[in-house]
Amino acid sequence: LKMKLEIVTPDQIVFSGEVSLVTVPGTSGRFTILENHAPIISSLSAGNITWRVKNTDTSILASDGFVEVSKNVVSIAVEGITNE
């Protein structure tokens, strides 16, 4: 695991750690980010954000936000989390 994921809302850090993949609800469709993904900034629709640590997937329901990928760091900022 060499990719770092950070998910934040205005009031909390939801997750921060190393992951092997992240799947997000992009405004033009779901997409998965793997290690060494090209730099990207994308807006996100409300929906499930899923990430994998070792062989375990974790999923949360998040509101609108955006994702930025740069140098194996995935930063996700959302308005809020519906469930954890």
Side-chain angles (χ1 to χ4, degrees):
L1 304 176
K2 296 190 183 114
M3 192 166 67
K4 182 164 170 57
L5 169 64
E6 290 188 336
I7 303 174
V8 298
T9 68
D11 22 291
Q12 66 172 323
I13 295 172
V14 179
F15 178 85
S16 180
E18 289 197 333
V19 300
S20 53
L21 67 79
V22 185
T23 302
V24 294
T27 44
S28 32
R30 290 182 67 74
F31 64 94
T32 298
I33 300 157
L34 299 169
E35 194 180 335
N36 298 321
H37 195 285
I40 185 178
I41 295 177
S42 174
S43 54
L44 300 178
S45 299
N48 283 318
I49 298 171
T50 306
W51 63 92
R52 182 171 296 157
V53 177
K54 299 189 166 61
N55 290 318
T56 306
D57 286 3
T58 303
S59 189
I60 57 170
L61 188 58
S63 55
D64 295 356
F66 68 91
V67 58
E68 179 182 8
V69 181
S70 179
K71 298 183 176 140
N72 283 323
V73 176
V74 181
S75 303
I76 298 175
V78 291
E79 289 294 318
I81 302 298
T82 312
N83 64 337
E84 287 187 47

